[in-house]
Amino acid sequence: MSNHLQREIPQEAFDWYDEYAHGGMDRRTFLKKLGSLAAVGYSMTVLTSALLPNYALAEQVSFNDPEILATYETFASPLGHDEGQGYLVVPKNMSGPRPVVLVVHENRGLNPYIKDVARRLAKAGFIAFAPDALFPLGGYPGNDDEGRAMQKNLERSKIEQDFLAAAKFLKGHPQGNGKLGAVGFCFGGYMVNYLAAVESNLLSAGVPFYGTPAAAELRDNIKSPLLVHLGELDERVNKTWPDYEKDLKRLNVPYTVHVYKGANHGFHNDSTVRYDKANAEVAWQRTLDFFKETLS
């Protein structure tokens, strides 16, 4: 996605998409607002094709890559939806134990972009596992609108328990080294913060990308180091950060926060025009370095 195209689209279109994607606006209203821009010279086709995901753009590591092996694995979740499933990707020809990383999707299920993130981690030498919150309903349906509606209809506390069960399943992987990292995006960023807070000794490292914090009453449990990525233009998430940072400082939690200049919510997702290649690549390299440092 070209940075030139991103500059051409007015910021209010990104803000409307963020509100739509997080349940604050229905699709009809979103398209009507985009239509108001079309009336003053913006192409509706360009706007919709740029803002809505095109997952053909998101494959950086092929599922046929000879250096990795991908499978689907199920795990027990007695306090959640009884059973969960996720996308497990391991490096081929592993020698010795490897660090394990849980990958948590956005609020629409296990889409192709998140699967690719798991493959990127395996390509870098980690064992990666990306659960699908929508597994109890048949799994990610192939489009984000339907996936978003499906996830919204699931009980939030049961989804949280499913990811907690997935984290424990992955931490016990027979080829893992016993140290668990987690990286998540949007809803997944929230889930990383939740996993860091719900059990003190579960995570050895957490990387929330533009995620809101766990409930205040849970935060006293946080011990694992955090690497926090925020987009400068992401007002909805950023307004939650000062209160969260205050608690992290009070608890002496090791953390680093990076606010990426000119970046929107979702800037790491390379399937839409919100993708900011330069910032995404810096954030991802920092993520890999952080995991190598904390999980080795």
Side-chain angles (χ1 to χ4, degrees):
M1 198 71 67
S2 73
N3 286 334
H4 174 68
L5 178 57
Q6 185 174 17
R7 286 193 299 270
E8 284 186 348
I9 295 176
Q11 182 59 39
E12 57 259 44
F14 294 106
D15 297 338
W16 294 335
Y17 178 77
D18 185 62
E19 187 177 354
Y20 159 64
H22 296 91
M25 182 189 303
D26 62 28
R27 184 180 179 88
R28 183 178 179 181
T29 304
F30 170 59
L31 293 176
K32 184 177 180 180
K33 284 181 174 288
L34 286 186
S36 69
L37 295 177
V40 293
Y42 292 94
S43 164
M44 190 67 171
T45 301
V46 169
L47 289 170
T48 54
S49 64
L51 290 168
L52 300 175
N54 177 359
Y55 288 121
L57 301 173
E59 187 176 81
Q60 294 188 21
V61 178
S62 169
F63 67 91
N64 287 320
D65 190 292
E67 296 182 4
I68 61 173
L69 178 65
T71 58
Y72 290 93
E73 304 293 338
T74 58
F75 57 92
S77 181
L79 299 179
H81 290 97
D82 297 323
E83 185 178 60
Q85 185 185 81
Y87 184 66
L88 180 71
V89 196
V90 302
K92 277 190 178 176
N93 305 317
M94 283 192 289
S95 57
R98 294 292 179 100
V100 297
V101 178
L102 190 75
V103 183
V104 190
H105 59 66
E106 305 130 315
N107 64 338
R108 62 211 69 167
L110 181 57
N111 59 42
Y113 154 65
I114 296 296
K115 287 183 178 179
D116 195 67
V117 170
R119 293 194 294 269
R120 296 173 208 176
L121 283 162
K123 185 88 169 174
F126 299 93
I127 296 170
F129 187 54
D132 188 353
L134 303 184
F135 176 70
L137 300 178
Y140 176 70
N143 73 81
D144 279 20
D145 276 346
E146 189 178 344
R148 188 181 298 111
M150 289 167 67
Q151 187 161 326
K152 188 176 181 179
N153 286 330
L154 287 170
E155 187 178 326
R156 177 72 165 251
S157 62
K158 286 195 172 185
I159 294 178
E160 291 170 345
Q161 288 298 322
D162 287 342
F163 278 101
L164 180 58
K168 293 179 177 180
F169 166 79
L170 179 59
K171 192 170 184 177
H173 192 284
Q175 291 174 289
N177 68 358
K179 291 190 174 183
L180 172 67
V183 60
F185 307 87
C186 184
F187 163 80
Y190 158 77
M191 189 55 62
V192 171
N193 288 323
Y194 170 80
L195 292 173
V198 71
E199 288 190 17
S200 294
N201 299 315
L202 179 63
L203 295 186
S204 295
V207 183
F209 275 78
Y210 28 85
T212 54
E217 61 269 20
L218 295 177
R219 295 179 204 168
D220 281 2
N221 297 322
I222 302 173
K223 291 182 179 177
S224 63
L226 299 174
L227 174 63
V228 178
H229 299 302
L230 300 172
E232 180 188 29
L233 304 180
D234 187 3
E235 294 182 6
R236 179 181 58 84
V237 171
N238 293 354
K239 69 183 180 183
T240 69
W241 172 246
D243 180 62
Y244 190 26
E245 183 176 39
K246 189 185 305 180
D247 280 341
L248 296 178
K249 287 180 175 178
R250 174 176 60 82
L251 296 165
N252 293 315
V253 174
Y255 77 92
T256 302
V257 59
H258 296 286
V259 180
Y260 294 86
K261 186 173 178 59
N264 279 284
H265 184 88
F267 72 84
H268 184 266
N269 186 331
D270 48 0
S271 70
T272 79
V273 78
R274 296 182 301 166
Y275 176 56
D276 184 322
K277 186 175 189 292
N279 280 323
E281 289 180 350
V282 170
W284 188 244
Q285 188 58 55
R286 285 170 170 164
T287 298
L288 294 178
D289 292 343
F290 178 67
F291 280 149
K292 288 172 183 176
E293 177 186 346
T294 54
L295 302 179
S296 60

